Amino acid sequence: MKIQKQLSALILTVVLMCAMGVNAYAHDVPDLNRRGTINITMQQGDIVVGGGTLTLYHVGTVKEDNGNYGFAFTGDFADCGKSLEDISSPELASDLADYAKQHNVLGNTQNIGEDGKISFADQELGLFLLVQNKAADGYMPMKPFLVSVPISEKDAYVYTVEVSPKVELEKASEPEPVTPTKPGAGTLP
């Protein structure tokens, strides 16, 4: 019996020593007390595109579930009938922009500077929708897109997010087709 107790103690000691050698990894968690900034630079290639307006909508708040972070719709978007499972979906951004327009959701609209830059500072953390209401002269409006604050880069959270959306040249309007007339039409023979 004494040998059995000693053997049990030895096994327990070995198990505990092995457990001490296991590395525990903690992942970085966002500081939910911070505020964020979204800086946007409008350009096409190397050309700065100034002018026009952008509207920022706060679509989702940060939620935590057992150490995992995601988003939950804000009150303005709670009844949109969409899911925030795939926030990289261009369809989701377009659908949310349509919803905001149809339901007169108020956003923060600012003019884009002549330097092509605009900044939305001191924002609550979460998921944001950017919609271009008026494009710069000679350009098409950019497609709506989503951006989160903060973003995770290299195992750290970044609270100042830099964005450079794609801007397209406005297409020249097509000339109206000319209807050919028959020679002598409208004249008497």
Side-chain angles (χ1 to χ4, degrees), residues 173-181:
S173 58
E174 296 287 326
E176 292 191 30
V178 178
T179 307
T181 58

mmCIF file of all heavy atoms in Angstrom, residues 173-181:
data_model
loop_
_atom_site.group_PDB
_atom_site.id
_atom_site.type_symbol
_atom_site.label_atom_id
_atom_site.label_comp_id
_atom_site.label_asym_id
_atom_site.label_seq_id
_atom_site.Cartn_x
_atom_site.Cartn_y
_atom_site.Cartn_z
ATOM 1 N N SER A 173 -19.897 60.907 -71.535
ATOM 2 C CA SER A 173 -21.244 60.551 -71.964
ATOM 3 C C SER A 173 -21.221 60.186 -73.447
ATOM 4 O O SER A 173 -20.482 60.759 -74.240
ATOM 5 C CB SER A 173 -22.212 61.702 -71.706
ATOM 6 O OG SER A 173 -21.778 62.860 -72.386
ATOM 7 N N GLU A 174 -22.029 59.199 -73.779
ATOM 8 C CA GLU A 174 -22.112 58.736 -75.160
ATOM 9 C C GLU A 174 -22.861 59.769 -75.991
ATOM 10 O O GLU A 174 -23.897 60.290 -75.554
ATOM 11 C CB GLU A 174 -22.863 57.395 -75.227
ATOM 12 C CG GLU A 174 -22.163 56.264 -74.502
ATOM 13 C CD GLU A 174 -20.946 55.767 -75.243
ATOM 14 O OE1 GLU A 174 -20.954 55.769 -76.483
ATOM 15 O OE2 GLU A 174 -19.968 55.394 -74.568
ATOM 16 N N PRO A 175 -22.373 60.069 -77.204
ATOM 17 C CA PRO A 175 -23.127 60.999 -78.052
ATOM 18 C C PRO A 175 -24.452 60.344 -78.460
ATOM 19 O O PRO A 175 -24.536 59.131 -78.600
ATOM 20 C CB PRO A 175 -22.218 61.221 -79.262
ATOM 21 C CG PRO A 175 -21.242 60.100 -79.230
ATOM 22 C CD PRO A 175 -21.158 59.610 -77.820
ATOM 23 N N GLU A 176 -25.466 61.181 -78.578
ATOM 24 C CA GLU A 176 -26.763 60.653 -78.984
ATOM 25 C C GLU A 176 -26.683 60.176 -80.420
ATOM 26 O O GLU A 176 -26.046 60.808 -81.278
ATOM 27 C CB GLU A 176 -27.834 61.717 -78.824
ATOM 28 C CG GLU A 176 -28.082 62.049 -77.356
ATOM 29 C CD GLU A 176 -29.320 62.897 -77.180
ATOM 30 O OE1 GLU A 176 -30.253 62.782 -77.995
ATOM 31 O OE2 GLU A 176 -29.338 63.663 -76.205
ATOM 32 N N PRO A 177 -27.338 59.035 -80.709
ATOM 33 C CA PRO A 177 -27.280 58.523 -82.079
ATOM 34 C C PRO A 177 -28.001 59.473 -83.037
ATOM 35 O O PRO A 177 -29.003 60.091 -82.702
ATOM 36 C CB PRO A 177 -28.000 57.174 -81.998
ATOM 37 C CG PRO A 177 -28.783 57.205 -80.726
ATOM 38 C CD PRO A 177 -28.125 58.202 -79.836
ATOM 39 N N VAL A 178 -27.423 59.600 -84.213
ATOM 40 C CA VAL A 178 -27.999 60.464 -85.249
ATOM 41 C C VAL A 178 -28.890 59.594 -86.118
ATOM 42 O O VAL A 178 -28.474 58.546 -86.600
ATOM 43 C CB VAL A 178 -26.885 61.119 -86.106
ATOM 44 C CG1 VAL A 178 -27.472 61.973 -87.216
ATOM 45 C CG2 VAL A 178 -25.961 61.911 -85.213
ATOM 46 N N THR A 179 -30.126 60.036 -86.316
ATOM 47 C CA THR A 179 -31.042 59.301 -87.165
ATOM 48 C C THR A 179 -30.849 59.777 -88.601
ATOM 49 O O THR A 179 -31.029 60.962 -88.908
ATOM 50 C CB THR A 179 -32.504 59.540 -86.727
ATOM 51 O OG1 THR A 179 -32.605 59.260 -85.345
ATOM 52 C CG2 THR A 179 -33.455 58.696 -87.526
ATOM 53 N N PRO A 180 -30.448 58.861 -89.477
ATOM 54 C CA PRO A 180 -30.226 59.282 -90.874
ATOM 55 C C PRO A 180 -31.566 59.620 -91.537
ATOM 56 O O PRO A 180 -32.595 59.040 -91.231
ATOM 57 C CB PRO A 180 -29.584 58.052 -91.537
ATOM 58 C CG PRO A 180 -29.873 56.911 -90.637
ATOM 59 C CD PRO A 180 -30.165 57.458 -89.293
ATOM 60 N N THR A 181 -31.510 60.592 -92.384
ATOM 61 C CA THR A 181 -32.707 60.968 -93.144
ATOM 62 C C THR A 181 -32.523 60.545 -94.581
ATOM 63 O O THR A 181 -31.398 60.462 -95.092
ATOM 64 C CB THR A 181 -32.948 62.485 -93.083
ATOM 65 O OG1 THR A 181 -31.797 63.157 -93.588
ATOM 66 C CG2 THR A 181 -33.219 62.935 -91.666
#
